[in-house]
Amino acid sequence: MIPSEIPEHGDHWKSIMEDFKRCILPGITHWQSPNFHAFYPSQTSYSSIVGETLAAGLGVVGFSWICSPACTELEVIMMNWLGQLLNLPKCFLNCDDGNGGGIIQGSASESIFVAVLVAREQAVRRLKVEHPELTEAEIRGRMVAYTSDQSNSAVEKSGILGAIKMRLLPANDDCVLRGSTLIKAVEEDKANGLFPVIMVATLGTTGTCAYDKLEEIGPYCNENNIWLHIDAAYAGASFCLPEYAWIKKGLEAADSLNFNLHKWLFVNFDCCAMWFKDANRITDAFSVDRIYLQHKYQGQSKAPDYRHWQIQLGRRFRSLKVWVTLKTMGAEKIRELIRFHISLAQKLEAYARADDRFEVTSSTLALVCFRLKGEDALSKQLLENITKRKKIYMIPATFQGKFILRFMIGGIDPQPADIDYAWNEIKTQTDVLLGVDENGNDVTVKDIIKQEMFEKEKPIGMITESLNGLVLANEKAK
C-alpha cells in the first residue's frame, strides 16, 4: 500500500491524511480503546498529550543541566513529587538528606538494564580488591544475577545484554518468589566459586501480577552485597493508595526501583521513573567526561547531569508531560481513577465467579485471571475465537501449569458499560463453544442471531462467523 521508494516531491497534507486513514489505521492495535484488555495498559491522558506536544515543540536535548536548566530541574522536582505520591521511603528522594535521586528513563526494560550494568560495575571494583589473584576477565566470567521465572522477559534480556548469567529461580504455586529459594541458589553458586551480583525482584509479575517477598529477599541481599532492584512497572501506581501499602513492604531494602508512568499514571508512552538509594553509585559507574560536555555548574546534587544516569547521551524533555499531567489532575484525582479501574476489574471478576463454567485463578489491582473449567483446550479455543472476532482483546498466561486468560482494564476512559460489553462477548462465545448457555440450555441459531443483532453495529460477516462456530460445535458434539 505504501510505495517502495521515497517520492521526489512532497505531498499535500490532505493526501497524507487520506493515506494515513487508508494504509495505517487498518493495521493499528488500538491500545487506547476501552476494549483493549491485553498485556498491561499504556494509558494516557489529554493533559499528557499536551505536555508531549509542548516538549516536541521545544526540541530540547537535555543530557546535561546547561543544555536546558529547566529540563533538568523540573525532572528533579517531578521525581520528588512522584516519590511522595507513591509514598516511597525518603532515602530514594533527592529532597532527603541522603544521596537518593530519580531519573525518567524510557521504559522498564531500559531501567532494569541500567540497574544490571551499575550492579555489575560496582561488583567488579569491589571484587578486584577482594580477589587480587583473579584477573578482571575471570571476575566478570564468574558473575551471576537472579530473578524469578515469573519476571518480565526484559530481565532475562538484560542479563544477555549485560554479559552476565541470569538465573531464573522457580516461583511458588502462587507465582511468588520466596527468600528461601534465593538463599539456596546464592549459597550454591558461592560454593561453586561464582559471584552473586544482583537480584531483580518483581512487584506485579507480567502473567498474574504477583509480588515477590521483598521482606524475605531484601535483608539477605543487603547482608551479602547483592544489589536489589525492584521492577514495579505496573503495580507501582498502587503505592499511592494506603490500602495497598502492603504490596511494597520491604521496599526500603532496595538499591534501585522502577515504575512506568505510561502504564497506570496517565502519562503517555514512553515514561519510566527510576530511583536510586545512592545516586553516586550510578554516576561512578557511568561517568565519561569530555571537554565539550563539561560546564562550571556540574556536580550539584539539585542539578544533576542525567547523561551519567542512562545509556544514551541525549534525552527528551519527558518531565514536562509529567508536570502537566500531575498539575492538571492532582493526587486526589489520580487515586480516584486508580480505585475506579480496580472496581471495574472487580465487576468482571464478579461476572466470572457467578458463571459456574469459569474459575477465577487470581485477581489483583485491575487484572483478573480466569479460565474455563476443564481441559486447557477449551480456554485456548475460547481465546482464539474471541481474538478472531476483534471485538475485545485479551492474552493468555499460565498459572499452576494451567492455561488462563488475562483480563486487564485498559483504554483512555474505561467505563462499567465496557465491562458489560466485554463479558457479554466472553459469555456469548462460551455459549457457542460449548453449545449450551450458562443455564445448560442448548444454544440455537436463533439465539445467536438475536444476540448479534442487539449488540453494537456488527457486520453480517461476524454473525456468519458465530453461526459457523455453532455448526462446528454441534458437529463435534455429534
Side-chain angles (χ1 to χ4, degrees), residues 113-126:
F113 184 39
V114 165
V116 168
L117 294 180
V118 175
R120 185 191 69 186
E121 295 312 302
Q122 290 286 329
V124 167
R125 296 182 185 189
R126 173 174 54 82

PDB file of all heavy atoms in Angstrom, residues 113-126:
ATOM      1  N   PHE A 113      17.992  -2.786  32.732  1.00  0.00           N
ATOM      2  CA  PHE A 113      19.311  -2.943  32.114  1.00  0.00           C
ATOM      3  C   PHE A 113      20.333  -2.020  32.773  1.00  0.00           C
ATOM      4  O   PHE A 113      21.462  -2.418  33.070  1.00  0.00           O
ATOM      5  CB  PHE A 113      19.212  -2.666  30.615  1.00  0.00           C
ATOM      6  CG  PHE A 113      20.488  -2.887  29.855  1.00  0.00           C
ATOM      7  CD1 PHE A 113      21.324  -3.948  30.168  1.00  0.00           C
ATOM      8  CD2 PHE A 113      20.844  -2.039  28.826  1.00  0.00           C
ATOM      9  CE1 PHE A 113      22.506  -4.158  29.448  1.00  0.00           C
ATOM     10  CE2 PHE A 113      22.019  -2.232  28.114  1.00  0.00           C
ATOM     11  CZ  PHE A 113      22.854  -3.296  28.428  1.00  0.00           C
ATOM     12  N   VAL A 114      19.931  -0.774  33.045  1.00  0.00           N
ATOM     13  CA  VAL A 114      20.816   0.168  33.728  1.00  0.00           C
ATOM     14  C   VAL A 114      21.196  -0.373  35.103  1.00  0.00           C
ATOM     15  O   VAL A 114      22.368  -0.325  35.503  1.00  0.00           O
ATOM     16  CB  VAL A 114      20.142   1.556  33.852  1.00  0.00           C
ATOM     17  CG1 VAL A 114      20.870   2.438  34.853  1.00  0.00           C
ATOM     18  CG2 VAL A 114      20.088   2.248  32.493  1.00  0.00           C
ATOM     19  N   ALA A 115      20.216  -0.896  35.837  1.00  0.00           N
ATOM     20  CA  ALA A 115      20.493  -1.445  37.171  1.00  0.00           C
ATOM     21  C   ALA A 115      21.481  -2.602  37.098  1.00  0.00           C
ATOM     22  O   ALA A 115      22.404  -2.707  37.924  1.00  0.00           O
ATOM     23  CB  ALA A 115      19.191  -1.901  37.829  1.00  0.00           C
ATOM     24  N   VAL A 116      21.314  -3.477  36.119  1.00  0.00           N
ATOM     25  CA  VAL A 116      22.230  -4.613  35.952  1.00  0.00           C
ATOM     26  C   VAL A 116      23.645  -4.125  35.667  1.00  0.00           C
ATOM     27  O   VAL A 116      24.618  -4.620  36.241  1.00  0.00           O
ATOM     28  CB  VAL A 116      21.733  -5.552  34.826  1.00  0.00           C
ATOM     29  CG1 VAL A 116      22.808  -6.558  34.431  1.00  0.00           C
ATOM     30  CG2 VAL A 116      20.467  -6.272  35.259  1.00  0.00           C
ATOM     31  N   LEU A 117      23.770  -3.118  34.803  1.00  0.00           N
ATOM     32  CA  LEU A 117      25.093  -2.599  34.454  1.00  0.00           C
ATOM     33  C   LEU A 117      25.768  -1.922  35.651  1.00  0.00           C
ATOM     34  O   LEU A 117      26.968  -2.114  35.887  1.00  0.00           O
ATOM     35  CB  LEU A 117      24.980  -1.603  33.298  1.00  0.00           C
ATOM     36  CG  LEU A 117      24.517  -2.168  31.951  1.00  0.00           C
ATOM     37  CD1 LEU A 117      24.467  -1.059  30.907  1.00  0.00           C
ATOM     38  CD2 LEU A 117      25.428  -3.293  31.481  1.00  0.00           C
ATOM     39  N   VAL A 118      25.002  -1.137  36.391  1.00  0.00           N
ATOM     40  CA  VAL A 118      25.571  -0.466  37.566  1.00  0.00           C
ATOM     41  C   VAL A 118      26.011  -1.491  38.601  1.00  0.00           C
ATOM     42  O   VAL A 118      27.119  -1.410  39.152  1.00  0.00           O
ATOM     43  CB  VAL A 118      24.551   0.510  38.188  1.00  0.00           C
ATOM     44  CG1 VAL A 118      25.105   1.104  39.484  1.00  0.00           C
ATOM     45  CG2 VAL A 118      24.209   1.624  37.207  1.00  0.00           C
ATOM     46  N   ALA A 119      25.146  -2.469  38.879  1.00  0.00           N
ATOM     47  CA  ALA A 119      25.487  -3.503  39.858  1.00  0.00           C
ATOM     48  C   ALA A 119      26.730  -4.268  39.427  1.00  0.00           C
ATOM     49  O   ALA A 119      27.606  -4.579  40.241  1.00  0.00           O
ATOM     50  CB  ALA A 119      24.307  -4.457  40.027  1.00  0.00           C
ATOM     51  N   ARG A 120      26.812  -4.559  38.145  1.00  0.00           N
ATOM     52  CA  ARG A 120      27.965  -5.294  37.616  1.00  0.00           C
ATOM     53  C   ARG A 120      29.264  -4.518  37.821  1.00  0.00           C
ATOM     54  O   ARG A 120      30.265  -5.066  38.291  1.00  0.00           O
ATOM     55  CB  ARG A 120      27.762  -5.581  36.133  1.00  0.00           C
ATOM     56  CG  ARG A 120      28.819  -6.444  35.482  1.00  0.00           C
ATOM     57  CD  ARG A 120      28.671  -6.433  33.970  1.00  0.00           C
ATOM     58  NE  ARG A 120      29.016  -5.132  33.408  1.00  0.00           N
ATOM     59  CZ  ARG A 120      28.861  -4.802  32.122  1.00  0.00           C
ATOM     60  NH1 ARG A 120      28.342  -5.701  31.271  1.00  0.00           N
ATOM     61  NH2 ARG A 120      29.207  -3.618  31.671  1.00  0.00           N
ATOM     62  N   GLU A 121      29.255  -3.232  37.453  1.00  0.00           N
ATOM     63  CA  GLU A 121      30.485  -2.435  37.558  1.00  0.00           C
ATOM     64  C   GLU A 121      30.872  -2.197  39.014  1.00  0.00           C
ATOM     65  O   GLU A 121      32.057  -2.176  39.356  1.00  0.00           O
ATOM     66  CB  GLU A 121      30.300  -1.116  36.814  1.00  0.00           C
ATOM     67  CG  GLU A 121      30.126  -1.290  35.313  1.00  0.00           C
ATOM     68  CD  GLU A 121      31.181  -2.215  34.718  1.00  0.00           C
ATOM     69  OE1 GLU A 121      32.389  -1.927  34.862  1.00  0.00           O
ATOM     70  OE2 GLU A 121      30.791  -3.242  34.118  1.00  0.00           O
ATOM     71  N   GLN A 122      29.886  -1.997  39.874  1.00  0.00           N
ATOM     72  CA  GLN A 122      30.179  -1.845  41.296  1.00  0.00           C
ATOM     73  C   GLN A 122      30.818  -3.123  41.849  1.00  0.00           C
ATOM     74  O   GLN A 122      31.776  -3.070  42.633  1.00  0.00           O
ATOM     75  CB  GLN A 122      28.902  -1.527  42.067  1.00  0.00           C
ATOM     76  CG  GLN A 122      28.330  -0.140  41.809  1.00  0.00           C
ATOM     77  CD  GLN A 122      29.140   0.954  42.482  1.00  0.00           C
ATOM     78  OE1 GLN A 122      29.728   0.751  43.529  1.00  0.00           O
ATOM     79  NE2 GLN A 122      29.175   2.121  41.869  1.00  0.00           N
ATOM     80  N   ALA A 123      30.287  -4.263  41.437  1.00  0.00           N
ATOM     81  CA  ALA A 123      30.812  -5.530  41.925  1.00  0.00           C
ATOM     82  C   ALA A 123      32.221  -5.785  41.414  1.00  0.00           C
ATOM     83  O   ALA A 123      33.080  -6.300  42.150  1.00  0.00           O
ATOM     84  CB  ALA A 123      29.886  -6.670  41.495  1.00  0.00           C
ATOM     85  N   VAL A 124      32.489  -5.429  40.169  1.00  0.00           N
ATOM     86  CA  VAL A 124      33.836  -5.620  39.611  1.00  0.00           C
ATOM     87  C   VAL A 124      34.868  -4.856  40.437  1.00  0.00           C
ATOM     88  O   VAL A 124      35.926  -5.394  40.795  1.00  0.00           O
ATOM     89  CB  VAL A 124      33.895  -5.170  38.138  1.00  0.00           C
ATOM     90  CG1 VAL A 124      35.340  -5.072  37.661  1.00  0.00           C
ATOM     91  CG2 VAL A 124      33.123  -6.146  37.252  1.00  0.00           C
ATOM     92  N   ARG A 125      34.564  -3.612  40.772  1.00  0.00           N
ATOM     93  CA  ARG A 125      35.503  -2.808  41.564  1.00  0.00           C
ATOM     94  C   ARG A 125      35.741  -3.429  42.933  1.00  0.00           C
ATOM     95  O   ARG A 125      36.878  -3.491  43.414  1.00  0.00           O
ATOM     96  CB  ARG A 125      34.954  -1.387  41.718  1.00  0.00           C
ATOM     97  CG  ARG A 125      34.838  -0.634  40.406  1.00  0.00           C
ATOM     98  CD  ARG A 125      34.331   0.775  40.625  1.00  0.00           C
ATOM     99  NE  ARG A 125      34.102   1.461  39.355  1.00  0.00           N
ATOM    100  CZ  ARG A 125      33.812   2.762  39.241  1.00  0.00           C
ATOM    101  NH1 ARG A 125      33.710   3.496  40.347  1.00  0.00           N
ATOM    102  NH2 ARG A 125      33.622   3.303  38.067  1.00  0.00           N
ATOM    103  N   ARG A 126      34.688  -3.889  43.562  1.00  0.00           N
ATOM    104  CA  ARG A 126      34.820  -4.488  44.894  1.00  0.00           C
ATOM    105  C   ARG A 126      35.573  -5.810  44.844  1.00  0.00           C
ATOM    106  O   ARG A 126      36.467  -6.070  45.665  1.00  0.00           O
ATOM    107  CB  ARG A 126      33.428  -4.692  45.494  1.00  0.00           C
ATOM    108  CG  ARG A 126      33.415  -5.459  46.813  1.00  0.00           C
ATOM    109  CD  ARG A 126      32.018  -5.499  47.425  1.00  0.00           C
ATOM    110  NE  ARG A 126      31.022  -6.016  46.507  1.00  0.00           N
ATOM    111  CZ  ARG A 126      30.811  -7.321  46.292  1.00  0.00           C
ATOM    112  NH1 ARG A 126      31.555  -8.227  46.914  1.00  0.00           N
ATOM    113  NH2 ARG A 126      29.865  -7.714  45.456  1.00  0.00           N
TER     114      ARG A 126
END
